[in-house]
Amino acid sequence: MQKKTVRDLSDAELRGRRALVRVDFNVPLDAAGHVGDDTRIRAALPTLQSLVARGAKVVLLSHLGRPKAAPEPKYSLEPVAQRLAELMPGTHVEFCETTDTDDAVQASERLAPGAVLVLENTRFLPGEETNDERLARELAKLGDLYVNDAFGAAHRAHASTEGVAHLLHPAVAGLLMEKELAYLGAALANPQRPFIAILGGAKISGKLDVIAQLLPKVDRLLIGGAMANTFFRAMGLETGKSLVEPDRVDLARELSNTAGDRLELPVDAVVAPELKAGVATQVVARDAIPADQAMFDVGPETVRRFGDAVRSARTVLWNGPMGVFETPPFDAGTFGVARALADATRAGATTIVGGGDSAAAIAEAGLESAVTHVSTGGGASLEFLEGKTLPGVAALDDA
Ligand code: ADP
Ligand code: MG
């Protein structure tokens, strides 16, 4: 799916014209209401800086949190606009608090070339999440052209991500969107081999379609996290108090049979009687999980094997933590795999991390910039890996 990008726009198409840019500024706010983690804001800077440098009047749309189609002060984008202003020194960045689109249109027209206007939360607007065509028509008045750089929201057909793209042309992808699609797309379409995927996380049910998509494409599929428990159960192993999805056991058995030895499960586990920081733990073989304990992480021998596999790969795709990394010491498996990804990257492999919790884990490991690409879109990257069409991308102009 080749889409036009901001790089296909001529300077004449941009200078002095209003570029309506949908960004994903859905960032966490701290207790004081300030931006907690500005990763997503920084991820949009290449697109914004390029538009500013080329003299466009940049009008930004984003959602934040889950307000219910009405203004809610705690979900205001004002602190986000402040953070953006700090990240773009020398650029005029202003915030417009109105939810009246006519007022917002006037503000957009008053902008000087090279200035940035941050509009209020799109989810304050009735019709955003229902992709109401009337709202999309109103939003289309806010720009002379449309840019979608909100990869993290591209799996939602909302008025600001999908509806407006049909009504305002050119409608092109931003640089972040382009980069996300390029990395994830190349991994699926023509990966350098060996191509290894590592899946983990809490539930197999949310990732069945990803497994089904990836299995025919990968050379090896490594499975950790709580997902592994459901496979253990399918093998007839004792899983104790571990998180298992009983209604997926048959499916896990089928997947194992189809995949054969391309599918690799943990060989050992870190178990404990309860999930608590600093609790006494034990490393056991996977066939020796005590009935009164639960598996909260993969064991060291598994980390060694998964790590060796990762280091031998040319392309690595990782989605889902290997254990409950939020609660040390159950972070060792996840961080061990993260380090293996960093090693592989240094050796020339392309390494891609998708999924919100996996992205948080790699950041916590301090290895965000030691891998090739960390996707900014949790749900969107998952849907992309499932082979689904992302409506926010499909609506853009073809290249
Ligand atoms: P992502 O957001 O990267 O796609 P998921 O949302 O699928 O990842 O899963 C992340 C969650 O899985 C984490 O909160 C982690 O604590 C949990 N998890 C991982 N391993 C286990 C385990 N063995 N038991 C219980 N929960 C686990
Ligand atoms: Mg998650």
Side-chain angles (χ1 to χ4, degrees):
M1 191 161 40
Q2 291 298 325
K3 291 296 178 180
K4 258 195 198 153
T5 78
V6 283
R7 290 183 297 108
D8 297 315
L9 300 176
S10 68
D11 286 356
E13 277 176 290
L14 288 171
R15 192 171 312 286
R17 306 195 62 216
R18 294 171 307 150
L20 179 64
V21 187
R22 177 56 159 98
V23 285
D24 178 10
F25 284 173
N26 184 28
V27 296
L29 301 177
D30 63 23
H34 299 129
V35 173
D37 176 355
D38 62 6
T39 307
R40 285 181 161 169
I41 304 177
R42 283 185 286 111
L45 288 178
T47 298
L48 305 185
Q49 279 157 347
S50 152
L51 293 170
V52 163
R54 297 166 80 191
K57 305 172 174 185
V58 180
V59 181
L60 301 185
L61 290 176
S62 177
H63 76 284
L64 174 70
R66 298 183 172 276
K68 297 272 170 284
E72 248 183 273
K74 69 171 175 178
Y75 292 126
S76 172
L77 275 168
E78 187 162 21
V80 174
Q82 275 170 16
R83 186 77 193 102
L84 179 65
E86 289 162 16
L87 291 168
M88 298 185 81
T91 298
H92 175 83
V93 177
E94 66 181 68
F95 174 67
C96 178
E97 65 176 3
T98 186
T99 50
D100 180 308
T101 37
D102 290 335
D103 289 348
V105 169
Q106 285 182 19
S108 74
E109 280 163 353
R110 281 195 301 268
L111 272 186
V116 177
L117 175 69
V118 181
L119 295 178
E120 189 51 289
N121 196 334
T122 53
R123 290 194 184 166
F124 288 178
L125 304 171
E128 161 69 340
E129 295 192 63
T130 51
N131 200 4
D132 178 61
E133 179 162 354
R134 241 172 328 156
L135 176 62
R137 233 179 284 131
E138 291 296 307
L139 295 178
K141 293 180 194 159
L142 292 163
D144 303 307
L145 59 106
Y146 176 73
V147 179
N148 192 345
D149 211 23
F151 176 73
H155 57 315
R156 309 256 185 250
H158 292 173
S160 71
T161 60
E162 205 269 352
V164 67
H166 294 291
L167 303 168
L168 181 56
H169 296 281
V172 304
L175 299 173
L176 172 65
M177 177 74 89
E178 182 187 28
K179 187 167 108 184
E180 294 269 13
L181 297 172
Y183 279 120
L184 294 171
L188 291 184
N190 55 355
Q192 301 248 52
R193 294 187 183 276
F195 173 25
I196 290 188
I198 315 166
L199 293 181
K203 289 190 168 175
I204 183 176
S205 50
K207 299 196 174 169
L208 285 171
D209 293 339
V210 178
I211 299 177
Q213 270 292 314
L214 288 177
L215 254 188
K217 299 187 166 128
V218 297
D219 296 296
R220 283 160 98 178
L221 180 62
L222 315 178
I223 291 195
M227 270 170 65
N229 296 317
T230 303
F231 284 91
F232 289 167
R233 182 71 70 80
M235 295 161 72
L237 300 179
E238 170 69 60
T239 49
K241 297 199 292 182
S242 308
L243 179 59
V244 173
E245 288 175 275
D247 54 337
R248 306 291 167 167
V249 171
D250 288 341
L251 226 132
R253 191 176 300 114
E254 271 169 46
L255 283 170
S256 298
N257 291 340
T258 319
D261 54 14
R262 278 185 306 141
L263 190 134
E264 268 183 62
L265 294 166
V267 292
D268 57 353
V270 180
V271 299
E274 60 176 329
L275 183 60
K276 214 170 71 183
V279 69
T281 64
Q282 229 183 307
V283 174
V284 298
R286 68 180 179 200
D287 58 2
I289 296 175
D292 59 350
Q293 304 210 15
M295 193 259 235
F296 292 123
D297 196 12
V298 298
E301 177 57 25
T302 303
V303 174
R304 207 166 305 126
R305 291 188 187 196
F306 282 14
D308 286 348
V310 165
R311 278 183 288 266
S312 74
R314 300 285 312 280
T315 307
V316 184
L317 184 65
W318 179 29
N319 170 272
M322 295 292 99
V324 187
F325 74 100
E326 302 94 332
T327 312
F330 305 111
D331 52 0
T334 300
F335 290 169
V337 164
R339 278 192 294 274
L341 252 76
D343 292 342
T345 316
R346 226 173 293 120
T350 301
T351 53
I352 302 159
V353 181
D357 292 292
S358 314
I362 198 115
E364 211 180 301
L367 294 171
E368 220 170 358
S369 51
V371 296
T372 311
H373 180 65
V374 181
S375 178
T376 55
S381 60
L382 220 56
E383 291 202 13
F384 189 83
L385 295 177
E386 286 169 359
K388 290 195 184 134
T389 302
L390 304 180
V393 177
L396 299 175
D397 297 346
D398 291 327

